[in-house]
Amino acid sequence: MTGTAAKGTGRLAELDLLRFLAAVGVVAFHYLIAFASVWGERPAKLFPETATPAGLGILGVELFFMISGFVILMSVWGRGLGAFALSRLVRLFPAYWISVGVVAAVYGLGAATALDPKLGLRDYLVNLTMFQRAFGLTDANGVYWSLWAELRFYLLISILVIVGVTFTRCLVFMGVWLLAAGIFTGNENEWVQLIVMPKYAAYFVGGMAFFLMTKHGPRPVLWCVAGLSGGLAVYAALARVEGRIDAVGYAAMPVPGWAVVVTVVIFYVLMALVALGALGWLRWRGLVVLGALTYPLYLFHSTVAAVLVPVLRDTLAPWLTVAVTVLVTLVLSYLVHRLVERPIQEFVKARRRRAAVPQGRHGRGPGGGAVPAPGAPGENASEKASVP
């Protein structure tokens, strides 16, 4: 598989589908397992038939991290640090800022109490930076924890961008990070968790390895890196699920260890199929729309549930309550994407194109056509697959 194939839209349809499935898993985990304060009782009692698969949805974020490793490495290849930083800013913050504002309005002006972060104005303002955890402050929305991990991954990958992204340097970067994650597995030191991220490093590295397969072919060294990262990923996933079970009990989180192992293995198999082009038959344009909804869906589903479920749960059947809540969340996600994310992204993209085209005859190509902005083809598409 060549680098050209990696940049095509076919790959993005595959990744968009995986991102949406990961988001569905997270929503299922929260709605059907985790949100006891929203339902007034443990959701596993209300939805016993789906408790185990919904519990596995906790690992949807880990799949997000794998996709992020794949796409971020793809997006920084041949680009400078400034372009990378701008793309991340435009991709992450518009919907995020709205999400913070909605949370502040819901708990500051409304009557909702479930999932209330109990923050003051200063805390919400700091949350707008997305660096609240660096200041020891609580996330306005529980799902923001994964964005903090993403930001730290971006800072680490920036080192690679500064020195120059090449196959060999990527291997060194991935090898050092994976080795550090293995050495510090189980170490709860604050600085280790902050920098090395031993609980999540394997997923990012695995995604990077699979992208390199699309660009340089499925070399044995890349399979070795992917395999080693897979081993650490299974260990980390088991520890995370076991920690949840210890906190709430097996009845509220009925997820056996073997199911966790199978789920992580499936993640790696799916990403390997993407890398090898085996899912290239996925060409439905609707997958791009689903991928675009994923980030707003991830950001807003908790707040929508905190508002709607307590109102609906006593008048509607549990499954109907879930259906209405999911529908409202999807509509809100679509509106945020079409009215906020997409216009801002298109505006910035257009400005970059104009800035990259010199005025007058020097702005024409050899055949008289305008010179395109560097990296513009496919740029928006690749960015869409990089965050939840």
Side-chain angles (χ1 to χ4, degrees), residues 37-38 106-107 110-118 306-307 310 313:
S37 64
V38 169
V106 163
Y107 295 109
T113 57
L115 308 178
D116 187 352
K118 295 181 171 58
V307 173
R313 69 190 182 196

Side-chain angles (χ1 to χ4, degrees), residues 110-178:
T113 57
L115 308 178
D116 187 352
K118 295 181 171 58
L119 302 180
L121 177 60
R122 171 180 169 273
D123 299 315
Y124 281 116
L125 291 176
V126 176
N127 262 262
L128 290 174
T129 69
M130 209 179 285
F131 281 85
Q132 59 273 9
R133 289 198 167 210
F135 299 101
L137 298 179
T138 302
D139 294 320
N141 187 324
V143 302
Y144 294 169
W145 73 267
S146 67
L147 300 181
W148 178 230
E150 285 278 345
L151 286 177
R152 286 177 286 160
F153 171 54
Y154 299 160
L155 291 174
L156 289 175
I157 208 75
S158 295
I159 299 173
L160 193 57
V161 176
I162 291 171
V163 301
V165 184
T166 66
F167 179 79
T168 301
R169 289 168 183 167
C170 284
L171 283 181
V172 173
F173 176 90
M174 294 155 60
V176 170
W177 194 9
L178 204 58

Side-chain angles (χ1 to χ4, degrees), residues 168-211:
T168 301
R169 289 168 183 167
C170 284
L171 283 181
V172 173
F173 176 90
M174 294 155 60
V176 170
W177 194 9
L178 204 58
L179 178 63
I183 292 174
F184 291 109
T185 294
N187 189 314
E188 295 298 328
N189 179 272
E190 180 180 354
W191 287 101
V192 168
Q193 292 297 321
L194 181 67
I195 299 172
V196 179
M197 294 191 288
K199 297 177 182 178
Y200 311 112
Y203 300 100
F204 290 116
V205 171
M208 294 173 70
F210 287 124
F211 168 70

Side-chain angles (χ1 to χ4, degrees), residues 304-316:
V304 173
V307 173
L308 288 186
V309 173
V311 174
L312 300 176
R313 69 190 182 196
D314 294 329
T315 56
L316 298 180

Side-chain angles (χ1 to χ4, degrees), residues 7-333:
K7 296 176 184 176
T9 56
R11 300 213 132 325
L12 298 171
E14 301 153 357
L15 293 177
D16 280 330
L17 175 59
L18 292 183
R19 288 181 66 233
F20 186 75
L21 292 177
V24 168
V26 173
V27 171
F29 169 68
H30 285 155
Y31 285 11
L32 308 180
I33 291 292
F35 285 175
S37 64
V38 169
W39 289 100
E41 60 181 303
R42 288 292 177 189
K45 294 181 179 180
L46 297 172
F47 311 99
E49 63 276 15
T50 59
T52 295
L56 289 168
I58 192 175
L59 300 176
V61 176
E62 277 76 353
L63 179 55
F64 281 137
F65 290 159
M66 288 193 71
I67 297 170
S68 185
F70 185 108
V71 175
I72 292 302
L73 184 55
M74 176 171 66
S75 66
V76 301
W77 206 282
R79 299 175 69 183
L81 187 59
F84 173 59
L86 177 62
S87 70
R88 294 298 84 206
L89 177 67
V90 172
R91 180 70 185 101
L92 287 179
F93 280 95
Y96 175 80
W97 285 332
I98 293 177
S99 173
V100 174
V102 168
V103 172
V106 163
Y107 295 109
L109 304 176
T113 57
L115 308 178
D116 187 352
K118 295 181 171 58
L119 302 180
L121 177 60
R122 171 180 169 273
D123 299 315
Y124 281 116
L125 291 176
V126 176
N127 262 262
L128 290 174
T129 69
M130 209 179 285
F131 281 85
Q132 59 273 9
R133 289 198 167 210
F135 299 101
L137 298 179
T138 302
D139 294 320
N141 187 324
V143 302
Y144 294 169
W145 73 267
S146 67
L147 300 181
W148 178 230
E150 285 278 345
L151 286 177
R152 286 177 286 160
F153 171 54
Y154 299 160
L155 291 174
L156 289 175
I157 208 75
S158 295
I159 299 173
L160 193 57
V161 176
I162 291 171
V163 301
V165 184
T166 66
F167 179 79
T168 301
R169 289 168 183 167
C170 284
L171 283 181
V172 173
F173 176 90
M174 294 155 60
V176 170
W177 194 9
L178 204 58
L179 178 63
I183 292 174
F184 291 109
T185 294
N187 189 314
E188 295 298 328
N189 179 272
E190 180 180 354
W191 287 101
V192 168
Q193 292 297 321
L194 181 67
I195 299 172
V196 179
M197 294 191 288
K199 297 177 182 178
Y200 311 112
Y203 300 100
F204 290 116
V205 171
M208 294 173 70
F210 287 124
F211 168 70
L212 288 177
M213 289 185 191
T214 71
K215 190 169 182 64
H216 297 279
R219 301 185 183 185
V221 65
L222 295 176
W223 284 116
C224 288
V225 172
L228 290 172
S229 76
L232 284 177
V234 166
Y235 180 88
L238 285 169
R240 190 150 103 88
V241 172
E242 288 170 1
R244 177 74 187 184
I245 293 173
D246 290 342
V248 302
Y250 190 81
M253 179 72 172
V255 178
W258 66 264
V260 174
V261 175
V262 170
T263 300
V264 175
V265 170
I266 289 174
F267 290 169
Y268 272 77
V269 170
L270 288 173
M271 292 300 293
L273 291 175
V274 171
L276 298 175
L279 299 181
W281 52 271
L282 291 169
R283 289 293 186 273
W284 181 46
R285 292 178 62 87
L287 295 179
V288 178
V289 177
L290 293 181
L293 296 181
T294 301
Y295 186 44
L297 175 63
Y298 183 78
L299 291 176
F300 291 97
H301 76 274
S302 299
T303 309
V304 173
V307 173
L308 288 186
V309 173
V311 174
L312 300 176
R313 69 190 182 196
D314 294 329
T315 56
L316 298 180
W319 276 112
L320 186 55
T321 298
V322 169
V324 171
T325 305
V326 169
L327 179 60
V328 171
T329 306
L330 286 172
V331 170
L332 176 61
S333 300

